[in-house]
């Protein structure tokens, strides 16, 4: 019997290549994490988080209109609970 976890995750990033790379890295290095949805901006990110109730959300810090940090602040204000991992392509 295996003790496989089933961790639901969403990815919110405006760059399609960044979403793809993160998804591939998660598949290889964290197979217990199941990416259930992706969004290309913060507004859609809020929507998919409300819809899918993930255990973890990977949020790009720098996105147009609504940054990952602003998205996380909105989740806190709306009392939506999930772990947050901020991602960025910048040093």
């Amino acid at each position: 019997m295996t003790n496989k976890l089933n961790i639901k995750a969403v990815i919110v990033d405006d760059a399609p290549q960044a979403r793809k790379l993160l998804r591939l890295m998660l598949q290889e290095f964290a197979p217990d994490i199941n990416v259930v949805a992706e969004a290309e901006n913060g507004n859609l990110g809020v929507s998919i988080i409300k819809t899918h109730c993930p255990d973890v959300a990977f949020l790009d810090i720098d996105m147009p209109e609504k940054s990952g940090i602003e998205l996380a602040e909105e989740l806190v204000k709306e009392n939506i609970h999930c772990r947050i991992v901020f991602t960025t392509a910048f040093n």
Side-chain angles (χ1 to χ4, degrees):
M1 181 189 315
T2 61
N3 289 334
K4 184 168 169 83
L5 300 174
N6 187 20
I7 300 168
K8 287 194 313 183
V10 299
I11 298 172
V12 183
D13 196 310
D14 60 317
Q17 284 300 104
R19 291 193 309 269
K20 180 180 178 180
L21 179 59
L22 180 54
R23 190 174 54 253
L24 292 171
M25 290 171 62
L26 290 171
Q27 287 172 356
E28 183 173 346
F29 298 111
D32 290 342
I33 296 178
N34 180 30
V35 177
V36 295
E38 297 180 18
E40 62 269 7
N41 63 58
N43 293 324
L44 286 175
V46 171
S47 177
I48 67 167
I49 290 169
K50 287 180 178 179
T51 299
H52 294 279
C53 302
D55 300 301
V56 61
F58 293 89
L59 309 179
D60 182 18
I61 291 175
D62 186 26
M63 293 184 287
E65 297 179 31
K66 184 180 292 186
S67 72
I69 294 170
E70 292 167 328
L71 191 162
E73 289 172 340
E74 185 172 335
L75 296 177
V76 169
K77 287 178 186 172
E78 294 191 30
N79 205 28
I80 298 170
H81 301 282
C82 70
R83 304 273 193 231
I84 303 292
V85 176
F86 290 109
T87 63
T88 186
F90 300 100
N91 290 334

